[in-house]
């Protein structure tokens, strides 16, 4: 069990990659704090995971709010007395559009959800980890904004690239506290975010050297590695789990 007695916060746990991570981390022995917007989805996931013996608490809220980041950490400390790690994973693409057509409000929403949320999360998670002698933070970034520029995704790319910069600085600032910080860069993954348009999904598959998209559970495995002690010398990295998307040209 790679996360035995580890208390881990997961945001974006109501679907896709976060939901798969919740199931996997539970199997690996973690105590979980699950966050996302939708209370009903969190409740049914917590019921399922809890019935298998995992200690799990949920808190629905909005990662764009600083108070929500604090509340998730407070819940972890209240229920389990310590915080070992966080998978800061909630995100949105927003409405896609070329930059001249993009409304400022959409830009702000995408940056707030994907990037500013990471700042708020770290602001409260780091002190909680300092007080117990270390921990691991993982931020879900993307191949978009790192090795690939997809038209229409300017705000998303800027936010996900910004998360890598934030990760690097956090890793440098808190390495001496035994706190590791890494960005995880999934390739195209079969989640509600990717939608269900067959032609679109086929075109996304073709972007990858493996000629398929990831299953959410495959990305959860990469997050597990970064949160567990198996990655004890990995910090400040932008770790691709992208099926060769970044090196594939056909
Ligand atoms: P998803 O839509 O299935 O899940 C997104 C989760 O984020 C949901 O639980 C949702 O409730 C939560 N969320 C969104 N906005 C929120 C807010 N304001 N407050 C609280 N929670 C909020 O999508 P997914 O594919 O599982 O996405 C997870 C992460 O992976 C995202 O950061 C996404 O950008 C990233 N990612 C996805 C892909 C992909 O192809 N699916 C590729 C690369 C990176």
């Amino acid at each position: 069990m790679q996360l035995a007695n580890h208390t881990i916060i997961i945001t974006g746990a109501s679907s896709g990659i976060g939901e798969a991570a919740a199931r996997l981390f539970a199997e690996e022995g973690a105590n979980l704090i699950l966050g996302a917007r939708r209370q009903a989805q969190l409740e049914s996931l917590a019921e399922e995971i809890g019935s298998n013996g995992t200690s799990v608490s949920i808190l629905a809220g909005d990662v764009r709010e600083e108070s929500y980041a604090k509340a998730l950490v407070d819940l972890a400390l209240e229920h389990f007395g310590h915080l070992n790690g966080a998978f800061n994973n909630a995100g949105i693409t927003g409405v896609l559009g070329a930059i001249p057509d993009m409304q400022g409000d959409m830009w702000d929403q995408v940056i707030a959800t994907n990037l500013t949320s990471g700042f708020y999360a770290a602001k409260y998670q780091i002190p909680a980890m300092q007080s117990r002698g270390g921990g691991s933070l993982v931020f879900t970034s993307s191949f978009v904004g790192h090795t690939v520029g997809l038209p229409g995704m300017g705000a998303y790319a800027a936010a996900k690239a910004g998360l890598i910069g934030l990760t690097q600085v956090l890793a440098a600032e808190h390495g001496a506290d035994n706190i590791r910080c890494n960005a995880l860069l999934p390739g195209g993954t079969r989640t509600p975010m990717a939608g269900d348009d067959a032609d679109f999904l086929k075109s996304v598959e073709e972007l990858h050297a493996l000629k398929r998209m990831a299953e959410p559970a495959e990305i959860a495995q990469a997050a597990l590695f970064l949160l567990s002690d198996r990655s004890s010398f990995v910090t400040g990295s932008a770790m691709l789990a992208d099926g060769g998307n970044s090196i594939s040209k056909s």
Side-chain angles (χ1 to χ4, degrees):
M1 297 250 257
Q2 295 185 51
L3 296 177
N5 300 318
H6 284 48
T7 299
I8 308 281
I9 293 171
I10 304 174
T11 65
S14 64
S15 76
I17 293 168
E19 181 181 353
R23 292 201 175 92
L24 178 63
F25 298 177
E27 285 169 19
E28 293 293 338
N31 306 315
L32 294 174
I33 304 289
L34 304 181
R37 288 171 299 190
R38 292 166 292 179
Q39 174 84 17
Q41 276 86 346
L42 288 177
E43 278 175 4
S44 69
L45 180 62
E47 197 177 336
E48 173 199 320
I49 289 174
S51 68
N52 295 330
T54 297
S55 298
V56 52
S57 292
I58 62 171
L59 184 64
D62 189 334
V63 294
R64 294 172 295 180
E65 303 289 336
E66 181 170 352
S67 59
Y68 183 54
K70 179 177 185 304
L72 286 169
V73 172
D74 287 347
L75 190 60
L77 298 180
E78 191 182 305
H79 275 234
F80 303 114
H82 60 276
L83 180 67
N84 301 78
F87 185 28
N88 296 307
N89 165 74
I92 56 168
T93 59
V95 177
L96 305 193
I99 291 297
D101 304 324
M102 189 176 289
Q103 301 299 313
D105 177 56
M106 184 49 60
W107 173 274
D108 289 344
Q109 280 189 46
V110 173
I111 297 292
T113 306
N114 293 290
L115 177 57
T116 312
S117 64
F119 157 62
Y120 290 147
K123 181 172 173 177
Y124 293 98
Q125 292 164 2
I126 293 273
M129 291 177 179
Q130 278 172 318
S131 67
R132 67 159 293 281
S136 172
L137 296 189
V138 178
F139 299 91
T140 307
S141 176
S142 176
F143 67 100
V144 178
H146 185 61
T147 53
V148 176
L150 287 183
M153 303 194 82
Y156 184 79
K160 294 302 192 185
L163 273 181
I164 295 172
L166 175 66
T167 295
Q168 291 173 343
V169 171
L170 286 170
E173 285 178 347
H174 298 291
D177 297 324
N178 193 32
I179 296 173
R180 298 183 296 105
C181 303
N182 292 285
L184 174 57
L185 282 55
T189 308
R190 287 194 173 273
T191 69
M193 178 178 280
D196 56 7
D197 180 308
D199 290 340
F200 172 73
L201 293 175
K202 184 71 191 155
S203 71
V204 175
E205 286 176 359
E206 290 301 315
L207 295 173
H208 300 76
L210 292 177
K211 299 303 174 198
R212 66 177 180 85
M213 294 173 70
E215 295 302 324
E218 294 179 283
I219 305 304
Q221 288 285 355
L224 170 63
F225 170 70
L226 291 173
L227 284 162
S228 76
D229 293 341
R230 293 196 179 178
S231 60
S232 56
F233 206 61
V234 182
T235 195
S237 78
M239 193 179 99
L240 288 165
D242 76 343
N245 183 316
S246 301
I247 49 88
S248 183
K249 297 293 176 216
S250 63

